[in-house]
């Protein structure tokens, strides 16, 4: 079997009146870069590359540089191909666009490798530890009118109660756009709405200096926060270490980190309690396996980040199914020793309407697909509908 064609798809959906803010930016649209690899036997694999930046550079990287190298190659050797492509781009692409492009290709190759033998990717990774995964809702972003505090608090109350009623047992919310005390007020309203039994996770999208993050961690302590995600900018390793040492809440991070080398510095450097590689960013399944081994040796839990299209969610389901409980226990408990999956709840048709299969919450969990490869099918009509113009 040989790779016959590689095609980029840039998908885009304007958010209209559903625009929202994180601490870093206004989000006027959702977009995704997808790659479709087809073999001479007619098998098709899909991958996603990048999560945060514009998709066009990833497309250029695949269309003009990495993609042409793969035509005629055996697609069922993803680790070997990863190694070749990374060695090719090392001198100019150790992080960023090139690794995101490599991620998309790698995910698509593992999808094909699974389809070629009729097995799901989790089986190629060595087996699954669970057939469904506890999901956490990601929501409670900032609205356009984020300074209208009474309205913000009223809407947060309603949104957070909705996640509780939908059966989520964990909720991740945003902080960092407003001053510390106002954000703590937002969190208190959310905690009140969800009650004491739902795990609360907090994500600053690296809005703080180390000193502010430490203060924020102390202010949040009475609200029983499970982890504090991206307290400081990803380059600030010393800041991460300080926050981890001096704030009472476990520290999570890694969605903007790349390959085993980046995670060696993050995990080996003592920066995080929870590592969050994003498979569409860090280098696909191949990098994920390496990062998982590294984290296991350091006693750091791996909880992949996922924020993209249905392909990114399917990819994360396959990967998380194969993460061993860490540390081992006879009764794994979510986020104590059992991984969970991020389930973004902001409006995103690229996540909800791209696949033939519906990825639906059942008792607070997402089922792991059993079909070959990623176990999902892309709707051709959705590709046309969401194609960037
Ligand atoms: Ca995040």
């Amino acid at each position: 079997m040989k790779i016959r064609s590689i095609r980029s798809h840039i998908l885009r959906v304007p958010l209209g009146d559903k625009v929202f803010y994180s601490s870093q930016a206004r989000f006027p649209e959702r977009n995704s870069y997808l790659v479709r690899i087809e073999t001479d036997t007619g098998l098709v694999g899909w991958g996603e590359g990048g999560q945060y930046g514009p998709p066009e550079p990833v497309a250029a990287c695949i269309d003009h540089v990495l993609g042409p190298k793969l035509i005629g190659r055996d697609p069922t050797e993803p680790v070997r191909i990863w190694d070749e492509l990374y060695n090719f781009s090392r001198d100019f692409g150790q992080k960023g666009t090139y690794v995101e492009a490599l991620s998309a290709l790698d995910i698509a190759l593992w999808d094909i490798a699974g389809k070629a033998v009729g097995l799901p990717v989790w089986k190629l990774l060595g087996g699954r530890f669970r057939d469904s995964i506890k999901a956490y809702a990601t929501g409670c972003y900032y609205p356009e009118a984020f300074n209208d505090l009474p309205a913000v608090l009223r809407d947060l109350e309603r949104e957070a109660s909705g996640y509780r009623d939908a059966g989520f047992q964990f909720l991740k919310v945003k902080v960092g756009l407003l001053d510390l005390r106002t954000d703590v007020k937002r969190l208190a309203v959310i905690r009140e709405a969800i009650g004491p039994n739902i795990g609360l996770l907090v994500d600053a999208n690296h809005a703080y200096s180390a000193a502010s993050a430490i203060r924020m961690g102390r202010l949040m302590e009475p609200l029983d926060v499970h982890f504090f995600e991206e307290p400081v900018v990803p380059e600030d390793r010393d800041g991460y270490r300080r926050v981890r040492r001096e704030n009472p809440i476990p520290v999570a991070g890694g969605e903007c980190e790349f390959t085993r080398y980046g995670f060696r510095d993050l995990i080996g450097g003592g920066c995080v309690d929870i590592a969050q590689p994003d498979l569409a960013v860090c280098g696909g399944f191949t990098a994920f396996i390496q990062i998982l081994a590294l984290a296991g040796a350091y006693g750091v839990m791996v909880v992949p980040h996922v924020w993209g299209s249905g392909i990114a969610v399917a990819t994360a389901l396959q990967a998380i199914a194969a993460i061993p409980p860490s540390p081992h226990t006879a009764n794994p408990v979510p986020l104590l020793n059992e991984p969970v999956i991020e389930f973004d709840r902001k409006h995103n048709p690229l996540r909800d309407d791209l696949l033939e299969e519906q990825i639906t919450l059942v008792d607070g969990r997402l089922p792991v697909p059993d079909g070959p490869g990623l176990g999902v099918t892309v709707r051709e009509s959705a590709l046309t509908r969401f194609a960037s113009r």
Side-chain angles (χ1 to χ4, degrees):
M1 183 165 52
K2 288 185 166 65
I3 295 172
R4 183 167 67 190
S5 71
I6 297 182
R7 178 156 181 209
S8 287
H9 291 269
I10 293 176
L11 307 182
R12 210 166 231 125
V13 181
L15 286 176
D17 62 357
K18 296 189 177 69
V19 162
F20 59 90
Y21 276 80
S22 73
S23 74
Q24 297 305 301
R26 181 174 186 267
F27 288 82
E29 66 170 36
R30 300 297 292 256
N31 61 52
S32 289
Y33 170 82
L34 301 183
V35 70
R36 178 187 191 275
I37 301 184
E38 187 168 351
T39 69
D40 57 358
T41 63
L43 278 185
V44 168
W46 287 92
E48 180 158 352
Q51 294 284 295
Y52 327 113
E56 285 79 4
V58 183
C61 219
I62 288 183
D63 294 347
H64 301 298
V65 186
L66 301 181
K69 292 179 181 299
L70 299 188
I71 302 299
R73 296 288 305 270
D74 177 352
T76 62
E77 298 188 324
V79 175
R80 181 179 167 194
I81 289 177
W82 195 101
D83 202 58
E84 282 182 29
L85 294 182
Y86 184 76
N87 285 328
F88 160 78
S89 56
R90 164 176 284 123
D91 291 2
F92 47 87
Q94 294 163 16
K95 290 175 189 264
T97 304
Y98 270 92
V99 182
E100 291 173 350
L102 187 47
S103 305
L105 293 170
D106 182 81
I107 292 166
L109 293 177
W110 279 88
D111 188 20
I112 291 175
K115 286 169 177 165
V117 290
L119 298 174
V121 172
W122 57 258
K123 218 162 229 204
L124 304 188
L125 295 174
R128 69 177 168 194
F129 289 85
R130 54 201 68 81
D131 58 15
S132 69
I133 301 167
K134 182 75 78 181
Y136 71 80
T138 295
C140 298
Y141 284 69
Y142 297 90
E144 187 96 88
F146 54 77
N147 276 319
D148 181 358
L149 196 60
V152 164
L153 296 181
R154 195 179 55 237
D155 291 349
L156 277 179
E157 203 280 330
R158 191 173 50 222
E159 187 182 349
S161 318
Y163 297 130
R164 178 201 60 206
D165 296 346
F168 283 103
Q169 276 129 40
F170 292 93
L171 168 62
K172 187 169 86 183
V173 305
K174 297 291 173 177
V175 295
L177 188 67
L178 304 173
D179 66 89
L180 301 191
R181 292 202 178 272
T182 307
D183 266 340
V184 171
K185 254 183 224 160
R186 290 173 59 254
L187 293 177
V189 165
I190 293 166
R191 171 51 85 197
E192 177 74 24
I194 59 178
N197 298 326
I198 291 181
L200 183 59
L201 322 172
V202 166
D203 184 2
N205 293 97
H206 53 72
Y208 300 130
S209 67
S212 304
I214 291 162
R215 197 159 155 249
M216 184 63 176
R218 290 174 184 160
L219 288 171
M220 293 191 295
E221 193 178 14
L223 296 168
D224 189 17
V225 174
H226 251 77
F227 68 60
F228 188 1
E229 179 172 319
E230 287 203 296
V232 297
V233 293
E235 306 93 318
D236 186 7
R237 310 276 190 216
D238 280 335
Y240 259 103
R241 281 187 281 272
R242 262 189 74 197
V243 174
R244 193 167 169 229
R245 210 165 40 233
E246 295 177 40
N247 115 88
I249 299 170
V251 171
E255 68 183 75
C256 302
E257 199 47 83
F258 300 83
T259 78
R260 62 185 182 268
Y261 302 111
F263 280 86
R264 171 198 61 196
D265 298 343
L266 195 75
I267 293 169
C271 299
V272 291
D273 298 285
I274 294 140
Q276 300 173 297
D278 188 308
L279 274 90
V281 172
C282 73
F285 287 109
T286 299
F288 164 77
I289 300 165
Q290 299 161 346
I291 293 161
L292 186 60
L294 184 68
Y298 278 95
V300 165
M301 181 181 273
V302 175
V303 178
H305 174 267
V306 50
W307 205 65
S309 80
I311 291 294
V313 178
T315 300
L317 283 168
Q318 296 290 332
I320 297 170
I323 298 177
S326 174
H328 172 77
T329 136
N331 179 39
V333 175
L335 274 185
L336 193 60
N337 35 47
E338 177 79 346
V340 291
I341 184 162
E342 175 163 24
F343 201 35
D344 168 32
R345 294 291 77 206
K346 286 310 263 187
H347 181 66
N348 188 359
L350 303 180
R351 179 195 61 230
D352 297 335
D353 303 335
L354 178 72
L355 305 176
E356 298 287 353
E357 300 78 8
Q358 282 294 316
I359 298 174
T360 320
L361 198 71
V362 183
D363 296 332
R365 307 178 72 88
L366 295 182
V368 176
D370 277 320
L374 295 178
V376 294
T377 315
V378 171
R379 262 186 199 152
E380 293 294 327
S381 62
L383 290 176
T384 317
R385 194 168 135 214
F386 302 130
S388 179
R389 279 178 271 274

